[in-house]
Amino acid sequence: MIHRDLTQATVSLARPGIRQDHPDYFPLVVANYVLGGGSASRLYMKVREERGLAYSVYSALGPGRYGASYFVGLQTRLDAVDEAVRLTREQMARMGREEVSARELALAKSYLIGSYPLRTDTSGKMAGLLVAIEENDLGLDWPDRFKAGVSRVTAADVKRVAAIYMDPATFSSVSVGK
C-alpha cells in the first residue's frame, strides 16, 4: 500500500489481459460489461449503490498491441477500503462460479452492440477507431466482426472466461490512500 495524506483511497487491481484476436476476447468483453462496465453492472450495483462503499467502481479491458491488460478500479473513503475491496473481489470470483442471468447477458450484449456506432459519431472518434484497427491488425471488417462476436456469446462462455480472467488471486493490486 502506498500512503498519502488523502481523504479517500484509490485502489487498482490489474492483470495481463488478452488481445482482440484471442478466442476468449468476445466472451470477456461481455463478462467485463456485466462485472463493471456501467451503472447496471454488478460492481456498480453491489459496491456503490447497495453498500455505498465507492464513489467510483469499474472494470475495463485494455487489449493494447504491446501488452493487453485487465483492470478493476475503485475510489472510496479511507475507512471503507477493506470492505470495498473484499466486496469487489467477491463479485469478481462470483462471475466465475455462477452463470450470469439471461437478463444480464441480454442487456450486456444489447448495450455493446447497440452503442458501437457511438464510437464513430464524430470524425475524431472515427479516426481513433481506424488507428486502433490499423495498429492492432484487426482489419476494416472489425466493427462487423465485433458485433457478430458479441452476439454469439453465451452465459456459459461468460462463466468460463470469468473463471480464468476474473479470478481475484491472479490480480496484482495497488492502493493509494492514507
Side-chain angles (χ1 to χ4, degrees):
M1 179 177 274
I2 299 169
H3 294 278
R4 299 274 192 255
D5 191 20
L6 304 171
T7 58
Q8 70 179 40
T10 298
V11 179
S12 299
L13 307 169
R15 61 157 287 150
I18 56 176
R19 290 179 32 91
Q20 295 99 325
D21 59 356
H22 194 286
D24 289 341
Y25 181 74
F26 295 115
L28 188 56
V29 166
V30 174
N32 175 68
Y33 187 80
V34 172
L35 177 67
S39 60
S41 72
R42 289 181 177 188
L43 290 178
Y44 190 91
M45 295 305 295
K46 298 290 184 187
V47 180
R48 179 182 159 95
E49 291 297 309
E50 290 178 17
R51 301 293 302 277
L53 293 172
Y55 307 114
S56 172
V57 61
Y58 57 94
S59 61
L61 300 174
R65 181 177 184 180
Y66 299 107
S69 62
Y70 188 51
F71 182 82
V72 178
L74 63 94
Q75 288 81 42
T76 187
R77 60 187 193 276
L78 294 175
D79 66 340
V81 171
D82 292 342
E83 181 66 10
V85 170
R86 183 195 64 74
L87 191 55
T88 296
R89 289 178 175 272
E90 184 180 288
Q91 290 303 312
M92 293 164 66
R94 180 178 166 225
M95 290 289 299
R97 285 193 318 265
E98 305 168 8
E99 282 194 1
V100 297
S101 70
R103 182 178 183 278
E104 286 177 305
L105 182 65
L107 284 172
K109 290 166 59 170
S110 175
Y111 175 82
L112 291 164
I113 292 168
S115 68
Y116 200 91
L118 295 177
R119 297 180 186 193
T120 61
D121 66 351
T122 68
S123 57
K125 287 181 183 178
M126 176 60 85
L129 177 61
L130 290 173
V131 167
I133 286 171
E134 181 64 25
E135 279 186 342
N136 294 295
D137 298 321
L138 299 175
L140 291 177
D141 64 340
W142 174 249
D144 293 330
R145 288 191 354 255
F146 179 89
K147 294 172 193 173
V150 166
S151 70
R152 287 191 297 270
V153 174
T154 67
D157 293 332
V158 168
K159 180 182 175 186
R160 179 184 57 77
V161 300
I164 298 166
Y165 303 103
M166 294 180 179
D167 177 357
T170 65
F171 283 72
S172 297
S173 65
V174 173
S175 297
V176 177
K178 192 171 186 177

